[in-house]
Amino acid sequence: MSDAAPMAFVGDSLTQGGDWQTWLPGETVYNFGVGGDATDDVIARLDDVIGARPAVVALLIGTNDLAWRRSVEHVVRNVETILVTLRRELPEVRILVQSVLPRGHEFADQIRDINRHLWQFAPTVYAHWLDLWPALALEDGELNPAYSDDRLHLNAEGYRIWVDELVPALERVRQLPPTSRAITLPDLG
């Protein structure tokens, strides 16, 4: 990793709970994770992220929308709005969109649908995609209980798995020009 301009992590309690500065030594990290936030909340505070002028934005948001019974379309539309706004306001920023994490298996179909849409949309705004689902989900779509005590929040092992996936993705993002090509997208079949 590089010690270039700052990196911003944007999201909800999953992001807020990360010890990003420790896990990414040599980086200047801003943690814009707020417990309980849904996509509407991130839109409302996006000016704070833009004002920080990060070189990289790592976005993970959407699971709390499902708890509020918001539709897949609502989540996707709002994340698209976040990405378009970041691209417009910070044209040189490198954006890493992270898949909505698995939680209880009853949410699996909705989360898969959200992730499929975001995976398809990310390249249209020159954002890069990191699919965390394979590393964290059981076959039925449940968040692996080895990584969570409540079927939603990550424990230390869950964060370790996330960081193991995140670090190489951030390295790839840093190496690419900000508005070039997307990281090769996975087959979500």
Side-chain angles (χ1 to χ4, degrees):
M1 299 267 221
S2 131
D3 50 3
M7 178 180 305
F9 283 82
V10 180
D12 52 33
S13 60
L14 294 164
T15 298
Q16 182 182 31
D19 189 5
W20 307 113
Q21 193 64 65
T22 299
W23 298 332
L24 301 170
E27 295 288 344
T28 300
V29 178
Y30 298 128
N31 189 337
F32 290 100
V34 176
D37 263 13
T39 56
D40 292 314
D41 302 306
V42 170
I43 290 171
R45 60 187 179 81
L46 209 47
D47 285 344
D48 294 339
V49 177
I50 293 164
R53 311 291 303 162
V56 175
V57 171
L59 175 69
L60 174 64
I61 192 69
T63 197
N64 289 330
D65 289 80
L66 299 176
W68 287 102
R69 301 195 189 289
R70 294 191 179 114
S71 68
V72 167
E73 293 77 17
H74 179 89
V75 177
V76 169
R77 183 177 60 248
N78 277 358
V79 174
E80 289 175 354
T81 297
I82 292 164
L83 295 173
V84 166
T85 302
L86 287 170
R87 179 57 60 217
R88 182 183 66 237
E89 298 298 322
L90 299 170
E92 296 300 314
V93 73
R94 290 165 177 87
I95 303 170
L96 179 64
V97 182
Q98 300 167 92
S99 61
V100 176
L101 300 186
R103 53 186 294 176
H105 65 85
E106 65 274 18
F107 294 100
D109 289 342
Q110 290 173 291
I111 294 172
R112 283 185 184 111
D113 202 16
I114 290 166
N115 287 340
R116 188 173 13 264
H117 285 287
L118 297 180
W119 164 72
Q120 291 171 333
F121 183 78
T124 70
V125 290
Y126 302 100
H128 309 282
W129 175 255
L130 174 58
D131 187 6
L132 295 165
W133 189 272
L136 295 169
L138 297 176
E139 195 165 311
D140 69 352
E142 176 95 16
L143 176 57
N144 188 324
Y147 307 143
S148 175
D149 300 323
D150 65 1
R151 301 173 66 213
L152 175 60
H153 297 95
L154 298 177
N155 59 26
E157 183 63 10
Y159 277 107
R160 188 191 65 74
I161 297 296
W162 183 1
V163 171
D164 285 351
E165 299 291 319
L166 179 67
V167 168
L170 288 172
E171 288 172 356
R172 288 190 307 269
V173 167
R174 287 270 198 188
Q175 291 170 1
L176 295 173
T179 56
S180 67
R181 58 184 172 79
I183 293 173
T184 303
L185 300 175
D187 178 15
L188 295 178

